[in-house]
Each structure stands twice: as structure tokens, then as C-alpha cells.
Amino acid sequence: MAEPGRPQRASQGIAGTWPTGGAASAGGLVPTGLGVWPAIAGTLREWARAEAGAGRLFPWVPIAFGCGIALYFAADHEPVLWVTAAMAVALTLGAVLLRRSRWFAPAIIIAAVAAGFAIATWKTARIAHTVLEKPLYSVSLSGFVETRDIRERTDRFVLRVTAMEAQRSDVMLERVRLSVRKGAAPDVGSFVQLKARLMPPLAPLRPGSYDFSRDMFFQGIGASGFAMGAITVSAPPDAGGLHLRYAAVMQGLRDTIDARIRAVLDGDNRAIATALLTGRRDAITTPVNDAMFISGLGHVLSISGYHMAVVAGVVFFAVRALLALIPGLAVGFPIKKWSAAAALVASAFYLLLSGAEVATQRSFFMTAVVLLAVMVDRRAITFRTLAVAALIVLAVAPEALVHPSFQMSFAATLGLVALVQIGMPNLFASPDHSATARIALWGGREIAMLFMASMIAGFATTPYAAFHFHRITPYGVLANLGAMPVVSALVMPAGLLGLLAAPFGLDGVFWWLMGIGIDWMVAVSRWVAALPGAIGHVAAFGTAPLIAASLGLILMGLLRSPLRWSGACVLVAATIWGLSVRQPDILIAGDGQNVAVRGRDGQLHLIRTKKDNFLLKEWLAADADPRDATSASLGDGVSCDEAGCVMPLADGRMIALSLRIDALADDCSRAALVVTTRPAPPDCAAMVVDRPRLARQGALALTQRGDGFAIQSVKARGANRPWSPAAAGDGDFEQILMPRSAAPRAKDATPSEADLQAED
């Protein structure tokens, strides 16, 4: 039927069904799908307009802000602060001026990138301090104890240095972290004098691995080491400041809680209970700690969003229930808002008690925004809430962006918010259905939500667990289904009630109940960790696949239209990319004492002159190698004597680790590659990695390229950052090793004795 007002053709016969113009003259052949593309383009435009609608821009601002911070950490040298600040201000003002223009969205995104870059630059300049570059073997230190960690074998504390004396060194550090014998750590707030051996902050153990030196720099720590001899506690020259008194009070409170728990619980139960309430998790034994992380329950040990949500939720509903018992209050006053305020206070106290780590800060800010939304009658759990929390955390601590706890925490939260906003309304769109109603009566809806939440959180954190820890947890959903209901309903509420009852001396029964729940959680983690295939090993991959995977997760989480499935395509591509990354053929430690060579069997074999299980565990994990650091097969094919060691590559060429100068000549003539902690002779015929290169480039990863090797180094050429200062002559070494052309030897002119004549 014709549409009103539209002109009609004179003929509606067969001729009227044929297109006019050139299409008919071309033999009557028309591409059958020609009319599909305009429809597809129109649909895509419609989806894009939906994504660009009102309120859809703000969640992308913290992502752009984080991109600016990521660019800062990718810089080769420290940016100029005033230039970055001026650019950020100028771009922000430009975005404000364009607020009524169609260019406002790209302008504000660019301004957010510049602001993130400037904030990170400012934070580094604000906390700038000296970092130790060379070991100091006997240092006299005096200072205040700021923090203390109780660990399984040794204790550790951070010393704020007031006086420092070292032979042949005038370096002055602000803070150092020292290990001491179990039980020998001094109290927080005390003034101590001691002797120590100090080492520079630990550099990455291989190219692309976690940078411990950067982490310590942003904690204000310039060196680590261990105490030598006795520690003398003496009267301080001054009070130490308000921050130190606060740290001492909070540490005393944590010690009191730990002592009360110790009176009822012991072993791992005590350590886990203390970790859940105070953030101390170093005292958990290695087998239990490994089982928790292998099973996918490791997130329980780190105070994050789940713990903060439980604390806020228990306080909120308990206060609201108590106030509802009073009719006058329930009818005439906003008890819901009062309960939210009480939950906010409880969350702030929990933040301070647990040490205010990055994950805990993120959790608190997220919880605070939710509770404030309740107090001002706004919708609580939205992408805006997550965006505000992310902006606050990154503005306060921009270094958190490169920390695994931040990445995993926000990825999981993004997935859960998407579940609440998108998945739940679709999943329970027909609650009146009889079958659904019957299942809900038996808790089916709650079980389904727990299953979906565990699955989505595990899926969202998988790329980051694979990148940082080189493993995935295939049974994580199973472990969470088995343990988290008990943790939520028994362990955490009992812990909170124990804290409230402790001042009255009535807390023992609550610690006992908490221990029962922890027993169940540990049993579940051990059972899941023992299942076949519980450990999914993933070989190391670079930051580029991780960035692509992050983009895919963001698209799937933030987009509302079917365009979100483009994120799934990006995620699949990132997965294929990450799994196809070639692993290096040779790994060389930064001190040159350990070398791993890939043999004919495709596995790494270790040439070691110094025992370093931590290094070896990282190398094996990054290679997706399930062997233990003590495995005898690591030494297969390695031949050693007092002068050094040799190991063949898969192609039969020899790799030599030279320990003595007199062995270099022989190794240079017979090996394809020589690794030595000494300066190599300039006429060495082999490819060489020696002390000068290691000092300037750190740990190396070598990949065969023809007859030579492509080199990846911890310290990129020209890089100079405050936490990793460049050594002199950093640009002298290329990123590729090639065999040297053999120099023609001079012909020996000495005649044989048989040829000599009498007159000679």
C-alpha cells in the first residue's frame, strides 16, 4: 500500500520492479547485497548515537585519566613538571570553552589524558628522594620505626632515617626497609640505632616483570636490607611527628587485636583472622597461601571491595534494624540515611585499621560513594560511582594504575557493576513466573547471582592474573561457591562482632566461630587446589596484549548497545596475541650469576653460581614451566668446573658462563656466547654479555635471530627514571648481538729446527 503524500509511478507492472539507470544497462546484473550496507551503516550509527547519549561520557573520563598516567610510566625520562601542568590546564580550559560544541567530548577526553600525565609527574616530584645505587655492607643507622610486618620466618620494619653513616659513601636515605630475626622487630614509633647491610631496591627479574624498585620508590623507601647485630632502643631526639604517633596507635591496636585472636586461635587460622581484620597477611604459611591463590580464593586474604562491602553492609542493616525497633524514629526520621552514615564511619575505621593499602583505598572510596548516594537519595551502584572512585584513587595515588591489586580490583568491580546494571534486570525480568518463584524460595536466585558474580569477577581478572602471576584459576567459581557463603555469613560477621565485644572481654566466642568458618574456607581451598588441572600455567606476554585485553573488557563493561560485543572480539584477539608470544631462548640475571638456556627439549636449563629461588620461581612461572625450583632436571645438560659452566642451545652452539679471568680465553674461542661478571677482553671472538652491559641494562632476555640474538633488557636504552637511574654510558650497547667476524691471524714466521741450516 502506498504511503500518503508520496508520488506514485505510472506503471506498477513488471517494468516498474526493475531499477533505472546504469544498473539495468550492465547486463541486468546487480550485487545482491548492495542494499544491505546502508542498513548496516544506519544501525551502527544508531548504536553509536545511543552510546554517545546523555550521561555516557563520564565513565570514560577516568579511563582517559588512567591512559595519561600509563603514558607517564612509559616515558624514557622524567617529564618537565611545569610543562605538563601548563598543558593540562590549557587543555582543560579549552574543553570548558567547548562545552556547548560537538567537540566537547573529544576535548574533555584529551584534557583528562593530559591531567593524568601531569598528576603522575607531580606525584613523583613531590615524593622525590634518594635511591641507593650500590650495596653498602656496614651502615650505622638511627631513626624511627614507622611500620612493622610479622612474617612466617622473619620480621620486617621500615625505618625513617634521621642519621646514617657508611664507609666511603656520603649517601643519605630517607627510609629503608630492614629484615630481622623472628620476634626481633622493634615497636612502631620507637627510636632505634643499629648496623645494617643495605642493597638497592630489587630491579625487575626479567624484562617485562614487575618493577619492585618503582613500588618501593612510591612508598618512599630508598633501600632494603637486613639488620646486623643488636638493635638498641633509645630516647628519641624529638617527638617524631603526628604521623608517627598515629602509626604507633594503629599498630598498637592491631597488636591488641592479634593478641586477643591468638588467645583463641593459632596457626593459619589466627594468621587469616588477623589478615581479614587488620591487613596483616604475611604470617600465613606458604602451603595455605599457595592453596588459597591456586583455588581462586586469594582475594579473600587481601582487604578489598568484598571486605569493605561486608563491613558496610553488616553495620548498615544492623543499625537500621535497631532503629526500626523504635516506632517514633522509624516513622518520623530518615533512619536509612542514619544507617548509611554509621556504615560510612565503620568503613573509614576499617580502612585505617587495615593499613589503607591501594586496594583498600579503592574499596573505601567506592563504598563511600555508594553510601553518600544513599544519603542524598541517588542511585547507588552505577558506572558513575565506579568512575568517581577510580578518579579519586588515581588522583591520590597515580602509581596504583600499574599495581596488580588496582587492575584486578577495578576489572572485577566493572564486571559486577555491569552485572547489576545490565545482567540482573535481564536475568530476573519475570519474577512472577511460577517456576522462578519456587526456585527463589529455596535461595536459587541468590545461588545464581553468586555463581554469576564469581564467574564474571574471575573472567574480568584473568588477563591480569595471567600477566602478573602467570597462572589462571580454572576452578575459581567452584571455590567461591563453596567458601564465600560461609565467609560472608559467618567469618566476617563474627570478626566484626569480635571487635565490638573485645572491649568488654566477651570476644572469645566470636573468634571461635570465626575459626570454624576459616577451617571450612581452608578445607575448600585445599580441596580445589588438589584437583587435576587446578593450576593453569600461562607464559609471559608483553604489555601490548594486556592493554588490548583491558580495552576489550572496558568495551564489554561500559557499552550498552550490541557494540559491546566488539569488546569480545578485541578480547579474543588479545588472547591469541598473548598466547602466540615467543619465549626467549636465554635469560640472564642482572648480576650475571644465573643463566637459563633453552635446550633441545624446549625447556629452560639453569646455569647457576648463586642460589636464588625467588629468581628461579619467577623465570619458571614466566615460561609456564610447572617444575619446582629444586627440580634436578633444571641442571640437565649443564657441565661445570671451577672455571665456569657450559650449556648447549637447541642448535648445538655452546653458551658459557665464565667465572675466572683465565677461563675467558678458552670460552671466547669455543663458545657462541660468553656471559661473565668481569669485563670481557676486546678481542673475544664470541658474542659477549659482560659486567659493563649488565650494570647498564640489568637482566636480559635473548631470542635467537639467525646466528645472533635480539636482546630485551630491563633498562631500555636511554631510560632514566627516579626509581631506576641511568648509569654512565647507557647508550653504548646495541639491542642485538651478532657473531664477530674472525680476524685473520698473523702467520707464524718461526722456522722449524729441521729446516735451520748451519749458517742460520
Side-chain angles (χ1 to χ4, degrees):
M1 185 173 181
E3 296 183 15
R6 177 171 293 186
Q8 303 298 314
R9 293 182 181 179
S11 174
Q12 295 294 333
I14 297 177
T17 64
W18 290 91
T20 59
S25 62
L29 298 177
V30 184
T32 57
L34 191 62
V36 175
W37 298 110
I40 294 177
T43 302
L44 292 176
R45 283 194 297 269
E46 182 181 350
W47 290 345
R49 283 194 295 268
E51 297 296 348
R56 301 295 298 140
L57 174 63
F58 183 70
W60 293 94
V61 173
I63 295 173
F65 192 82
C67 289
I69 296 174
L71 287 175
Y72 165 79
F73 284 110
D76 291 331
H77 59 83
E78 200 61 21
V80 181
L81 177 59
W82 71 268
V83 174
T84 61
M87 178 174 292
V89 171
L91 290 174
T92 302
L93 291 176
V96 172
L97 294 176
L98 293 172
R99 64 187 181 275
R100 299 187 183 279
S101 168
R102 64 177 181 176
W103 300 106
F104 173 71
I108 199 66
I109 294 298
I110 294 173
V113 173
F117 194 93
I119 284 291
T121 306
W122 173 79
K123 177 65 178 291
T124 301
R126 183 174 66 84
I127 66 169
H129 59 88
T130 304
V131 174
L132 187 65
E133 298 184 22
K134 297 181 179 180
L136 297 177
Y137 294 100
S138 182
V139 186
S140 297
L141 296 171
S142 300
F144 293 94
V145 178
E146 288 193 336
T147 64
R148 183 183 64 184
D149 294 329
I150 308 299
R151 302 191 297 171
E152 182 182 1
R153 296 183 179 179
T154 60
D155 294 342
R156 192 168 62 184
F157 66 93
V158 173
L159 184 72
R160 190 177 76 194
V161 179
T162 58
M164 176 175 175
E165 295 181 5
Q167 295 180 354
R168 296 186 297 275
S169 176
D170 57 355
V171 65
M172 182 63 187
L173 303 175
E174 293 184 13
R175 287 178 179 83
V176 297
R177 189 175 65 194
L178 301 173
S179 296
V180 295
R181 182 177 298 176
K182 183 75 174 174
D187 294 332
V188 173
S190 59
F191 184 81
V192 298
Q193 297 174 334
L194 54 91
K195 285 188 176 293
R197 178 175 295 181
L198 299 180
M199 303 294 292
L202 184 63
L205 301 177
R206 57 171 183 80
S209 67
Y210 189 73
D211 194 342
F212 298 95
S213 61
R214 180 185 60 207
D215 196 15
M216 292 182 64
F217 175 83
F218 282 98
Q219 294 179 46
I221 300 173
S224 61
F226 57 89
M228 302 170 58
I231 300 176
T232 304
V233 180
S234 59
D238 54 67
L242 180 62
H243 175 74
L244 189 65
R245 290 197 293 271
Y246 156 76
V249 171
M250 296 308 299
Q251 187 64 45
L253 183 57
R254 297 186 194 104
D255 291 340
T256 301
I257 294 172
D258 184 59
R260 293 297 306 161
I261 295 175
R262 188 183 292 120
V264 179
L265 305 177
D266 55 11
D268 286 309
N269 282 13
R270 177 191 68 82
I272 293 175
T274 301
L276 295 177
L277 296 178
T278 67
R280 286 183 182 173
R281 57 182 183 272
D282 293 326
I284 303 171
T285 60
T286 301
V288 171
N289 192 69
D290 290 344
M292 294 287 289
F293 279 93
I294 291 172
S295 65
L297 290 175
H299 65 92
V300 178
L301 302 179
S302 176
I303 296 177
S304 57
Y306 165 75
H307 305 78
M308 195 67 68
V310 171
V311 170
V314 169
V315 173
F316 176 84
F317 289 110
V319 172
R320 190 176 184 184
L322 291 175
L323 294 177
L325 295 176
I326 306 175
L329 292 178
V331 175
F333 296 91
I335 61 173
K336 181 179 179 181
K337 298 181 180 181
W338 292 1
S339 303
L344 182 60
V345 173
S347 300
F349 175 75
Y350 190 44
L351 171 72
L352 300 177
L353 179 65
S354 61
E357 294 185 355
V358 171
T360 317
Q361 292 180 27
R362 194 277 312 163
S363 308
F364 170 75
F365 290 133
M366 182 74 182
T367 304
V369 172
V370 170
L371 294 174
L372 289 173
V374 172
M375 295 168 65
V376 296
D377 296 322
R378 298 294 297 272
R379 192 175 179 184
I381 303 177
T382 64
F383 290 112
R384 285 175 171 267
T385 305
L386 180 62
V388 170
L391 279 175
I392 295 173
V393 172
L394 292 177
V396 173
E399 69 276 8
L401 180 76
V402 293
H403 199 278
S405 66
F406 175 90
Q407 297 169 4
M408 298 178 72
S409 181
F410 266 97
T413 307
L414 175 63
L416 295 176
V417 173
L419 173 64
V420 171
Q421 294 254 294
I422 302 172
M424 286 179 62
N426 295 332
L427 181 64
F428 302 122
S430 302
D432 294 331
H433 190 277
S434 59
T436 305
R438 287 197 299 269
I439 294 174
L441 289 176
W442 292 95
R445 179 175 298 185
E446 287 71 18
I447 295 175
M449 287 307 303
L450 179 59
F451 175 82
M452 292 188 62
S454 300
M455 184 177 63
I456 289 176
F459 171 77
T461 57
T462 292
Y464 308 99
F467 178 81
H468 292 286
F469 309 116
H470 316 298
R471 63 188 179 197
I472 58 176
T473 55
Y475 302 130
V477 174
L478 181 62
N480 281 275
L481 285 175
M484 294 313 294
V486 176
V487 177
S488 302
L490 179 61
V491 175
M492 289 300 296
L496 294 177
L497 293 174
L499 291 178
L500 294 175
F504 306 99
L506 303 174
D507 53 327
V509 64
F510 298 110
W511 307 135
W512 176 74
L513 290 173
M514 196 176 186
I516 293 176
I518 293 174
D519 279 333
W520 173 259
M521 181 178 68
V522 172
V524 170
S525 67
R526 289 182 182 274
W527 172 67
V528 172
L531 293 175
I535 306 177
H537 298 281
V538 180
F541 51 89
T543 56
L546 182 69
I547 293 173
S550 301
L551 175 61
L553 291 173
I554 290 170
L555 292 176
M556 292 180 67
L558 287 186
L559 298 185
R560 304 284 186 87
S561 70
L563 286 175
R564 77 167 70 97
W565 299 114
S566 64
C569 298
V570 174
L571 194 58
V572 170
T575 302
I576 297 173
W577 187 1
L579 294 177
S580 62
V581 171
R582 180 182 174 183
Q583 297 306 304
D585 298 295
I586 300 173
L587 292 170
I588 304 174
D591 58 2
Q593 299 291 334
N594 293 278
V595 179
V597 180
R598 196 173 303 281
R600 291 186 177 90
D601 57 359
Q603 292 185 315
L604 293 177
H605 297 273
L606 184 68
I607 305 174
R608 79 162 103 184
T609 60
K610 184 179 74 172
K611 186 176 181 180
D612 192 343
N613 285 340
F614 183 65
L615 168 76
L616 187 53
K617 287 179 180 179
E618 169 62 22
W619 281 2
L620 292 175
D623 204 54
D625 194 328
R627 289 177 295 174
D628 187 74
T630 59
S631 174
S633 63
L634 291 171
D636 292 348
V638 179
S639 300
C640 293
D641 57 22
E642 65 278 0
C645 301
V646 294
M647 167 71 194
L649 276 168
D651 60 6
R653 292 186 296 171
M654 302 301 293
I655 308 299
L657 175 60
S658 296
L659 303 179
R660 291 177 13 189
I661 294 179
D662 55 1
L664 281 173
D666 186 43
D667 290 338
C668 285
S669 63
R670 302 175 63 180
L673 173 69
V674 174
V675 180
T676 176
T677 57
R678 304 175 183 275
D683 60 346
C684 183
M687 295 174 281
V688 174
V689 173
D690 59 358
R691 183 172 63 189
R693 179 186 283 272
L694 292 172
R696 293 175 177 88
Q697 294 187 325
L700 303 176
L702 280 61
T703 305
Q704 284 189 262
R705 293 288 187 270
D707 293 334
F709 296 95
I711 299 177
Q712 286 182 294
S713 59
V714 164
K715 295 182 180 180
R717 187 173 182 177
N720 184 18
R721 305 309 299 269
W723 52 87
S724 182
D730 191 22
D732 297 339
F733 298 99
E734 299 294 333
Q735 293 302 107
I736 190 168
L737 281 176
M738 293 300 296
R740 301 182 182 183
S741 56
R745 294 188 177 183
K747 189 175 182 180
D748 189 357
T750 306
S752 64
E753 293 184 2
D755 294 336
L756 290 176
Q757 301 180 11
E759 61 268 22
D760 295 332

